Amino acid sequence: MKERIEALLKEIEEYKDKKESEIEEIRVKLLGKKGEITQLFDEFRNVLPEQKREFGQKLNQLKNAAVQKIEELRNQAAESGDASSASFDITKPGDAHEVGTRHPISITREEIINIFKKLGYAVAEGPEIEDDKHVFESLNFPPEHPARDMQDTFFITPGEYEGLTEEEKAESVKEGIMGYNPILLRTHTSSIQVRTMENVKPPIRVICPGRVFRNEAISARAHCIFHQVEGLYIDKNVSFADLKQAILMFVREFFGENAQIRMRPSYFPFTEPSAEVDVSCNICGGKGCNICKGTGWLEILGCGMVDPNVLEACGIDSKEYSGFAFGMGVERIAMLKWQVKDLRLYFENDARFLKEFETCL
Ligand code: PHE
C-alpha cells in the first residue's frame, strides 16, 4: 500500500498543462467512485491497527495533493484560454449586433447641402437660442407682426425688465439678455443669414441648416420642432432669374431631372418680391393624385429677393449689392421624397420606421 501511495503522489506531482477533458479524466481516475485513491480508502479498513495512524496520514496527504492538483490544473487551463476548457461553446452562433442607420432627416439634410455645395455654397450655422434682433428685427419684421406673438414663438426672456435695478437694466440691455431684445428659440434659420451678413463682406453664398422651434400643436402635418435649410446669395447684380435657376437646379438634382417648378407670388417681410415654389408631383408626374390632391404640384419652399431694408440692417450697401434667399423644411422635403404620411414618425425613433431608410445611406 505504501508503494502505491508513493507512486500516486509522484504521478500527481507530474501532471501539468492538461485540457479540461483530461483533467476530468484524472479526477475520475483518482477520486471517482472507483478511483484509485477511493479504493485505497476502502482498503484502509484492513490495515493493521498499529499502522492505521501512519497510513491514515499518508492517505489524507495523497487525497489533498490530488484535490489541490486538480484545482491547479483547472486554473491553468482557464488562464491559458483553452477554448475546450471554457464554459461557453465557441461553435455557437454569436449574438448579432444590429448596425444602426442614419436618420432620414440627417440623410435628407445632407443631400440638400451637398447639392448646394456643388453650386459653391458654404455651410453656416448659428445658435438655436437667439434674440429678437436676429430672428425678427433685422429681417424687417414690423413690431406688430403676428410671428412675434406668443402664439408662434417660444420666448425665453420676455421683453421686459421689471424688478431690476437701474444698473442691472443697463447691463442686461447692453448684453442683449433682456430689455427690448427678448431671447427666444429661433423660429427659422434666417437668423444665421443675418449673422453671416453682419460678419462677412459680399459676395456671400451660404446654406444654413438647423433646428427651428414654433409654438404649434403637434399633428401629422405640424410639429413644434423641425429642421430647415435656408440659403442666401448676395453679390453685385444678382437677379430673380439667378434665384429661379438655382432652385430649378436643386429640384432636378433632388427629385429627378424631369422635375418642373412653378413659382407663385407670396409674402415674407424679408424678401421683395417673394415667391413660393411648387415642384411637379413626383408620384404622379404631374397628372394629379391623392398626394398632390389632384393638382399635380407640391409646395416645397419659400424664397425671394432680399429686401433692401434687410441688407441695410446688416450693414450691406443695398445700392451696390442685391441677393436672393430661400428656405425649406427638411421634414417636408423628406415626406415628399419618401411619401411619409405623418411628421411625428420622424421624432418617435421607432426602429421599424428608421430601418426603412437603410438603403439610403
Ligand atoms: N424664413 C422663411 C420661413 O421660415 C423661409 C424663407 C427663407 C422664405 C428665405 C423666403 C426667403 O418660413
Side-chain angles (χ1 to χ4, degrees), residues 193 228-231 300-303 325-329:
Q193 279 133 289
Q228 281 190 326
V229 176
E230 296 208 353
I300 55 157
L301 58 82
C303 62
F326 55 88
M328 61 190 109

Side-chain angles (χ1 to χ4, degrees), residues 112-329:
I112 298 168
I113 290 172
N114 285 339
I115 292 171
F116 282 102
K117 270 190 180 165
K118 279 196 241 169
L119 287 175
Y121 286 72
V123 176
E125 285 183 299
E128 293 177 347
I129 299 174
E130 263 290 5
D131 57 11
D132 182 276
K133 180 170 177 244
H134 291 91
V135 176
F136 297 128
E137 195 187 306
S138 298
L139 286 162
N140 202 34
F141 278 79
E144 69 289 352
H145 196 282
R148 287 164 177 258
D149 202 299
M150 296 296 255
Q151 293 285 310
D152 295 309
T153 307
F154 289 114
F155 286 94
I156 294 172
T157 63
E160 55 192 55
Y161 36 57
E162 251 169 62
L164 298 183
T165 65
E166 285 305 315
E167 227 167 58
E168 285 169 335
K169 273 186 209 168
E171 196 59 29
S172 64
V173 170
K174 197 172 86 198
E175 299 271 318
I177 298 168
M178 288 175 100
Y180 46 72
N181 188 20
I183 303 296
L184 39 88
L185 294 179
R186 67 181 177 202
T187 56
H188 53 184
T189 57
S190 306
S191 51
I192 306 175
Q193 279 133 289
V194 172
R195 287 185 180 276
T196 308
M197 286 188 276
E198 283 173 347
N199 295 312
V200 182
K201 279 207 177 107
I204 294 171
R205 218 182 292 164
V206 285
I207 193 97
C208 310
R211 218 157 38 145
V212 301
F213 308 85
R214 289 183 194 179
N215 192 1
E216 292 199 42
I218 296 169
S219 71
R221 300 179 61 89
H223 208 288
C224 57
I225 302 176
F226 60 99
H227 299 77
Q228 281 190 326
V229 176
E230 296 208 353
L232 175 72
Y233 180 30
I234 296 177
D235 204 345
K236 291 177 180 160
N237 303 319
V238 177
S239 74
F240 201 92
D242 298 321
L243 167 62
K244 192 174 170 192
Q245 192 53 38
I247 303 283
L248 184 63
M249 144 87 193
F250 161 71
V251 162
R252 295 215 163 140
E253 286 275 320
F254 191 86
F255 289 102
E257 57 189 79
N258 295 323
Q260 301 289 330
I261 58 167
R262 78 173 179 188
M263 292 178 130
R264 286 176 287 106
S266 185
Y267 172 78
F268 299 103
F270 34 89
T271 46
E272 183 61 34
S274 306
E276 261 163 333
V277 178
D278 297 339
V279 60
S280 50
C281 179
N282 56 327
I283 311 304
C284 62
K287 284 192 215 72
C289 65
N290 62 347
I291 301 287
C292 60
K293 301 209 184 75
T295 64
W297 297 98
L298 299 160
E299 186 195 321
I300 55 157
L301 58 82
C303 62
M305 302 306 291
V306 181
D307 193 300
N309 285 349
V310 173
L311 295 175
E312 296 294 337
C314 299
I316 292 174
D317 184 353
S318 62
K319 289 189 194 68
E320 198 179 349
Y321 292 102
S322 58
F324 63 73
F326 55 88
M328 61 190 109

